[in-house]
Amino acid sequence: MLLDVRSVTKTYPGAERPVLKDVSLSLDRSETLALTGESGSGKSTLLHLVGALDGFEAGEITLDGTSYSQLDEAGRAGLRRGAVALVFQQFNLIPALTVAQNLAFHARLGGAYDPDWTATLAQRLGLADLGSRYPEQLSGGQQQRVAIGRALALRPRLLLADEPTGNLDEATGDAVLDLMLDLVRDTGAALFLVTHSERIAARLDRRLHLGSGQVA
Amino acid sequence: MTRWAFLALLSHWRRQPLQLVAMILGLALATGLWSAVQAINAEARASYAAAASRLGLSQGPTLTSPDGTIPSDTYVALRRAGWQLSPVLEGPIRLGGRTLRLVGVDVLSYPALPDSSALSGIAPLDVLTPPGRLFASRVTAEGFDGDPRLVLSQDVPAGVVLTDIGTAEALLDRPGALSRILVLPDQPMGLAPLADLAPQLSLSSPSATSDAAHLTDSFHLNLTAFGLLSFAVGLFIVHGTAGLVMEQRRPLFRTLRALGLPARHLTLLVLAELLTLALIAGLLGLVLGYLVAAALLPDVAATLRGLYGAPVEGGLTLRPLWVLSGLAMAVVGAGLAGARGIWALVRLPILASSGMALRSVASGLGARHLALAGLALILAGYLALRLMPGLTGGFVMLAGLLLGAALLLPLLVDACLQLCQRRAKGPVAQWVWADMRVQLPGLSLALMALLLALAANIGVGTMVSSFRLTFTGWLDQRLASELYVRAASDEQGAAIERWLASRADAVLPLRSAEITLAGQPGELYGVADHATYRQNWPLIASEPGVWDRVAAGEAALINEQLARRENLWPGDTVTIAPDWTLTVAGVYSDYGNPKGQVMVSIPALVAHHPEVPNRRFGIRVDPAKSEALARDLRQSFDLPEESIVDQAALKASSLAIFDKTFVVTGALNVLTLGVAGFAILTALLTLWTMRLPQVAPAWALGLTRAQLGRLELCRSLALAAITALLALPLGLALAWVLLNVINVAAFGWRLPMYLFPADWLRLFLLALIAGGLAAALPARRLHRLPPAHLLRIFANER
């Protein structure tokens, strides 16, 4: 088992009720999992916890045997640099860097930069000719392909995707999703994808529904 | 409708209190520094005017002589012809260790005597007969307040001692001499014209400006220029913030317009808001300006008294004109800062996208366009100097150079950052340099403010230090004698001269008369024919055999001020009196003296001015024996301590006056740099909300908040360092203009330019400190930012 989320509870400061309550799930290597749920159900919060971006008050998360509750901030940052990669709905590329620099950035940060692999990714994602452009010069679909390439250039063990096609039209979204699923399978990474769409969720190995802070 | 729309506009400040603080404080600082300088100038000018008015100098026409002295026989002849006149004799006098201006008047006819309270209890005979009475203000009387002749009177201006003309004749040792004659208002009918009775005298009309006001004009102009620079630096803060506020409120403007608020109405509301802020900031600025002016005025007053002999009190009065001009500057400043935003608001299409608007903040007008405008300004400044030589052209050139360089800055900094980015190896370093380039448009105005402040510091610092170095060397040349002695009378002077003949290597008489040179107050000095002058006198231009020709009475030396003002150089002729013209054989530097000066041989001086006292002497003696000689001299002639001054003491006091002159400049330098540091802080804080989307992805990809905080600090330090490096050539160019254009036009002397790398290093470190301090708060905030806030960047955009 790659990821184990056990009885995790998370309450935001000032909130009356926990956003996640006693949530448990697991994910095997190379497995793809879709997490669906209504707005405000806690999907993104769970994804952020798994991505070591935020803390929780109860329960435990382990990735490949590494317990999150044992990690300090530097340790969590190290996990994000080396094992986990993220793809956001709004792409969140680094506006100051070119496409080529964005693609390589995460892998170089994690010390796992492979120029050949990054070039292959750029080729397969249709970005080979856009390397010198800046994010603001790209369309939404192109930006999301850069975000996916940036994440996979690291060869992460776990790829987290938060509504990766939510900001794209259906045709572009489908094309981007096809590419992402192909590449995830090729790299052997596990995929934990948050989505509203039942149609997208149906394309992954497994799906879970989150309602009122609990996995149904 | 108006009320609710206005409340909606004001709601922005509740959410962005830092922007409100930056707007108000920026404008207050700009107004404050400007107002401080204006308050100092207004106070000094009011003092000159009051002094002139109190002494009756501006109350009526005055008769003067081209050579500065009117024989009392002429006065008597005019009185006998029926003219109602009042004679005045004035000159410098040493009292209480200071040089003051002694004004002797005929107390029976003088139209502006001190108030009756000062005269009450004093018998008129006491004033008219020896030892007489000396009227002076409390400030002036410091140092000789034990003198039994002293009568305190606040009606007498600072730096002036008023007395009866008989007493003045004795104290100045100028019997039968008058400086000028006041023509009283009421005259009998049928008098012979003054021009017929005394054709050698000239009648001048009452003038609003006194000698002091004329002589100190340049000093005040320099202060005003510095005040304007401080105002411009402060305005950069407001301009940056105002632009950001307008951009951030675009969605609100569009919503209000969409809800039916007419564009004109909305614009008026924004203008009303801007005016309110300007008035609040203006009042704050006035308070700040008053405090700064009150702190600086005593030093300025001391400078003006010491350097120009201008009468300025140390106190500050709140003047309505000053308050109004301060508020007006705040309103003008706010208008300038908000003009671009308001113009954009007037033309705002309701359906414009906010994304475009935000990008336009980030890119500004475009570094290239700014740079082109900057080059045009520099060129315009250069052309202005060619077309308008002198002070005005010099200041226009300075303004063009400084503003032009500021506009060039974004392009130059971007080029530096691009170079660093190319050379960077690691991903973080690459990102940091690239991110700075993205951040640059938002910080440009603050960096421009820093550039101007640093350049002003380097430029003015180089000028002052060059001046000091030159001045010190010049003092060494000029004060060649080991001792300087002042006798109480001509008789004592002659006795001292005889006594010294066998005890000193040489005795050099120092004799001078006040004259009018080319229509302005001037000095005529007699110079002995001695190797001391031939070897040491600081000549900057001369003809062959200069000293022989001066000694023979065929030629004169003039000081640099007179040479530049009247364009007189070796070979030209100078008119010393209507009947006395000499060839200029040489020009000498004469720093710190605002008046024109001519030097002739002592026999020539005495031939034309037999009344000149012979009481001051320079004594050449073996330095090892000078102390003993001074002691013997004091004992032999019962001379008071201050009558003999050694060279070192004289140099020390000259340097002390020099240093005091630039206290104000130094203080304004530090304040301007402080304002620039504040500009960076406010820019970083106001850009804070725009920064998070740029740093949050880096955090998500594995950088810690502590790393991000440290990098934020490094960015600010790097930008400050690049700006400081670019400020160096600009500062040196500024120094060159100050030394070679402004100083020559304002003071009449040109100085060599020296370089002071240690000062540059100190300033570079100061710039780093300013940049570091400015970034410390945002860096700390980033370091301590809860992850939930960073996550909002990803969540909010859903």
Side-chain angles (χ1 to χ4, degrees):
Chain A
M1 186 164 49
L2 177 72
L3 175 71
D4 185 21
V5 178
R6 186 160 304 175
S7 303
V8 165
T9 296
K10 167 77 179 174
T11 310
Y12 283 116
E16 289 179 5
R17 286 184 300 178
V19 62
L20 296 174
K21 191 177 170 187
D22 204 21
V23 170
S24 297
L25 61 87
S26 62
L27 189 65
D28 283 330
R29 289 174 203 283
S30 306
E31 188 184 11
T32 59
L33 171 69
L35 183 66
T36 58
E38 306 301 321
S39 291
S41 60
K43 304 187 299 292
S44 292
T45 300
L46 181 57
L47 186 107
H48 292 157
L49 298 188
V50 171
L53 291 165
D54 206 356
F56 44 91
E57 64 261 28
E60 182 58 284
I61 302 176
T62 54
L63 180 74
D64 231 2
T66 303
S67 163
Y68 282 25
S69 53
Q70 304 297 316
L71 297 174
D72 59 7
E73 189 184 351
R76 288 197 296 274
L79 199 71
R80 294 198 299 273
R81 278 199 303 275
V84 183
L86 297 116
V87 176
F88 297 102
Q89 179 182 356
Q90 279 286 356
F91 332 126
N92 292 105
L93 299 176
I94 294 178
L97 299 180
T98 61
V99 166
Q101 288 168 333
N102 261 293
L103 277 174
F105 186 73
H106 199 182
R108 293 182 72 192
L109 213 57
Y113 177 55
D114 177 350
D116 294 336
W117 169 234
T118 308
T120 305
L121 279 173
Q123 194 69 43
R124 290 186 61 180
L125 287 163
L127 301 169
D129 297 331
L130 305 176
S132 59
R133 292 201 191 171
Y134 285 89
E136 65 178 20
Q137 296 171 306
L138 302 181
S139 68
Q142 287 170 326
Q143 287 193 57
Q144 193 59 298
R145 279 186 275 154
V146 177
I148 290 166
R150 177 179 72 182
L152 292 173
L154 181 69
R155 294 186 193 273
R157 278 170 277 171
L158 174 62
L159 177 65
L160 303 173
D162 191 357
E163 298 277 9
T165 58
N167 221 28
L168 307 175
D169 63 74
E170 195 172 300
T172 311
D174 283 348
V176 167
L177 186 68
D178 288 344
L179 263 173
M180 184 167 76
L181 291 176
D182 282 352
L183 286 167
V184 163
R185 279 185 198 108
D186 291 352
T187 55
L191 173 66
F192 181 15
L193 183 144
V194 164
T195 180
H196 274 107
S197 166
E198 295 292 334
R199 191 171 61 84
I200 291 174
R203 297 187 57 187
L204 271 63
D205 298 340
R206 196 151 60 91
R207 57 189 287 194
L208 289 173
H209 185 80
L210 197 62
S212 305
Q214 290 181 303
V215 175
Chain B
M1 175 177 75
T2 303
R3 181 176 169 231
W4 292 110
F6 200 56
L7 286 176
L9 281 179
L10 293 182
S11 68
H12 175 84
W13 303 113
R14 252 200 326 276
R15 286 190 298 120
Q16 304 285 352
L18 272 174
Q19 288 179 359
L20 183 64
V21 171
M23 277 287 282
I24 289 182
L25 265 186
L27 208 50
L29 281 171
T31 313
L33 290 181
W34 165 259
S35 300
V37 167
Q38 290 313 305
I40 289 169
N41 282 347
E43 201 59 47
R45 290 203 171 106
S47 290
Y48 310 149
S53 158
R54 275 186 250 162
L55 285 175
L57 299 181
S58 59
Q59 290 183 354
T62 304
L63 286 168
T64 52
S65 166
D67 65 3
T69 302
I70 304 172
S72 55
D73 295 348
T74 309
Y75 165 72
V76 172
L78 291 172
R79 285 286 291 125
R80 283 187 181 148
W83 281 92
Q84 300 300 305
L85 307 167
S86 186
V88 178
L89 171 64
E90 63 180 321
I93 184 172
R94 294 285 295 180
L95 282 171
R98 284 191 296 156
T99 300
L100 301 168
R101 184 176 163 209
L102 183 72
V103 178
V105 299
D106 175 10
V107 293
L108 300 175
S109 64
Y110 194 68
L113 281 179
D115 62 339
S116 54
S117 62
L119 290 167
S120 65
I122 300 169
L125 209 58
D126 284 351
V127 179
L128 294 168
T129 55
R133 287 283 188 266
L134 302 175
F135 296 89
S137 70
R138 192 175 297 281
V139 177
T140 311
E142 282 173 15
F144 68 102
D145 45 9
D147 193 316
R149 298 170 295 178
L150 177 67
V151 179
L152 289 178
S153 168
Q154 289 314 307
D155 269 8
V156 181
V160 171
V161 177
L162 189 68
T163 190
D164 177 65
I165 196 161
T167 310
E169 279 184 336
L171 289 173
L172 297 172
D173 197 21
R174 291 175 67 187
L178 301 175
S179 301
R180 60 177 172 272
I181 300 170
L182 301 183
V183 182
L184 299 178
D186 299 320
Q187 300 290 344
M189 301 286 285
L191 294 176
L194 284 168
D196 295 346
L197 294 171
Q200 73 278 22
L201 301 185
S202 53
L203 184 67
S204 57
S205 302
S207 161
T209 56
S210 62
D211 285 354
H214 178 77
L215 289 173
T216 54
D217 266 353
S218 308
F219 183 83
H220 292 300
L221 187 61
N222 276 350
L223 269 188
T224 303
F226 220 122
L228 209 55
L229 179 68
S230 306
F231 181 77
V233 168
L235 219 54
F236 277 107
I237 303 174
V238 191
H239 194 280
T241 311
L244 189 67
V245 168
M246 293 299 280
E247 290 296 339
Q248 285 185 344
R249 289 200 296 190
R250 273 185 176 230
L252 174 67
F253 294 154
R254 284 203 319 274
T255 306
L256 288 173
R257 291 280 310 281
L259 292 176
L261 191 71
R264 192 161 168 268
H265 207 104
L266 180 61
T267 308
L268 286 174
L269 283 178
V270 173
L271 279 173
E273 180 195 50
L274 200 62
L275 183 66
T276 310
L277 287 176
L279 290 176
I280 293 170
L283 287 172
L284 269 176
L286 285 175
V287 174
L288 185 73
Y290 187 87
L291 294 176
V292 172
L296 294 179
L297 191 60
D299 278 326
V300 174
T303 298
L304 291 166
R305 280 197 299 265
L307 194 61
Y308 300 95
V312 179
E313 304 279 359
L316 192 64
T317 317
L318 203 60
R319 296 172 196 281
L321 191 65
W322 173 73
V323 173
L324 287 176
S325 73
L327 286 178
M329 281 304 271
V331 172
V332 168
L336 285 174
R340 203 174 133 222
I342 288 176
W343 177 242
L345 174 62
V346 171
R347 303 169 60 202
L348 177 75
I350 297 181
L351 297 177
S353 95
S354 61
M356 281 301 286
L358 279 173
R359 262 202 297 281
S360 75
V361 176
S363 60
L365 280 174
R368 278 173 210 279
H369 288 118
L370 283 179
L372 280 176
L375 283 174
L377 275 176
I378 293 172
L379 187 66
Y382 174 74
L383 288 176
L385 184 66
R386 297 300 299 263
L387 296 173
M388 298 183 285
L391 212 50
T392 312
F395 275 120
V396 172
M397 186 197 176
L398 270 190
L401 177 68
L402 289 174
L403 280 177
L407 294 181
L408 273 169
L409 182 72
L411 190 72
L412 295 175
V413 174
D414 189 61
C416 292
L417 294 177
Q418 206 172 358
L419 192 70
C420 294
Q421 188 188 354
R422 279 193 195 136
R423 300 176 74 90
K425 297 281 182 226
V428 176
Q430 263 186 359
W431 168 60
V432 166
W433 292 116
D435 186 54
M436 281 161 71
R437 293 184 65 197
V438 172
Q439 210 183 348
L440 186 59
L443 284 173
S444 282
L445 285 169
L447 293 178
M448 288 178 194
L450 182 65
L451 178 87
L452 291 184
L454 288 170
N457 268 272
I458 293 169
V460 175
T462 302
M463 179 197 74
V464 173
S465 298
S466 294
F467 194 177
R468 201 176 195 284
L469 203 61
T470 309
F471 187 69
T472 312
W474 172 80
L475 275 181
D476 288 340
Q477 290 178 310
R478 186 82 181 249
L479 300 178
S481 296
E482 284 70 27
L483 290 172
Y484 292 86
V485 61
R486 178 188 296 271
S489 64
D490 281 357
E491 292 72 33
Q492 191 182 47
I496 287 173
E497 215 173 351
R498 282 195 300 275
W499 187 87
L500 282 170
S502 59
R503 293 173 174 84
D505 297 340
V507 181
L508 308 172
L510 305 169
R511 306 181 72 172
S512 66
E514 294 198 4
I515 58 170
T516 303
L517 280 169
Q520 292 195 20
E523 297 162 330
L524 178 65
Y525 269 78
V527 60
D529 183 16
H530 192 266
T532 299
Y533 296 107
R534 290 174 181 258
Q535 289 163 8
N536 295 303
W537 203 249
L539 291 176
I540 56 172
S542 61
E543 285 187 334
V546 50
W547 289 105
D548 292 336
R549 295 188 61 206
V550 171
E554 300 165 5
L557 300 173
I558 61 172
N559 67 355
E560 187 183 358
Q561 289 83 314
L562 183 63
R564 294 196 188 280
R565 197 176 72 209
E566 301 301 324
N567 197 22
L568 295 176
W569 297 97
D572 296 333
T573 54
V574 58
T575 302
I576 304 167
D579 58 344
W580 189 16
T581 300
L582 286 177
T583 305
V584 176
V587 178
Y588 57 92
S589 52
D590 187 19
Y591 306 121
N593 175 15
K595 293 180 180 176
Q597 200 176 78
V598 177
M599 281 176 73
V600 295
S601 68
I602 287 182
L605 171 73
V606 174
H608 287 83
H609 290 269
E611 80 289 355
V612 287
N614 186 29
R615 300 178 186 178
R616 293 186 298 132
F617 306 96
I619 304 171
R620 297 308 314 264
V621 64
D622 181 351
K625 297 175 185 167
S626 70
E627 201 177 325
L629 183 67
R631 195 173 49 243
D632 290 349
L633 192 56
R634 275 195 196 96
Q635 283 172 359
S636 300
F637 292 90
D638 196 21
L639 293 172
E641 190 71 24
E642 66 266 21
S643 289
I644 302 176
V645 186
D646 66 22
Q647 189 193 69
L650 205 53
K651 280 180 188 168
S653 68
S654 299
L655 279 177
I657 290 175
F658 178 92
D659 288 338
K660 207 154 200 129
T661 305
F662 291 103
V663 166
V664 184
T665 316
L668 285 174
N669 258 341
V670 171
L671 286 172
T672 310
L673 195 59
V675 171
F678 185 72
I680 301 178
L681 172 66
T682 54
L684 289 174
L685 289 177
T686 49
L687 288 173
W688 171 252
T689 49
M690 291 168 72
R691 287 290 297 145
L692 284 187
Q694 288 160 1
V695 296
W699 169 75
L701 298 180
L703 292 181
T704 63
R705 288 169 297 162
Q707 281 174 305
L708 291 174
R710 280 197 296 273
L711 290 173
E712 202 68 9
L713 204 60
C714 290
R715 280 189 190 92
S716 184
L717 289 175
L719 285 173
I722 292 171
T723 307
L725 288 175
L726 292 172
L728 181 60
L730 178 62
L732 293 178
L734 175 65
W736 186 89
V737 177
L738 285 172
L739 288 167
N740 290 282
V741 180
I742 302 291
N743 258 330
V744 177
F747 301 109
W749 55 69
R750 175 171 282 146
L751 297 161
M753 184 166 148
Y754 296 101
L755 303 180
F756 301 89
D759 286 355
W760 305 342
L761 188 64
R762 184 183 54 83
L763 211 57
F764 183 77
L765 292 175
L766 268 179
L768 290 188
I769 290 170
L773 283 178
L777 187 60
R780 187 170 167 272
R781 280 172 74 174
L782 193 55
H783 185 189
R784 299 191 166 190
L785 192 70
H789 285 228
L790 284 161
L791 286 171
R792 275 184 212 153
I793 300 305
F794 310 116
N796 274 349
E797 290 170 349
R798 178 150 311 154

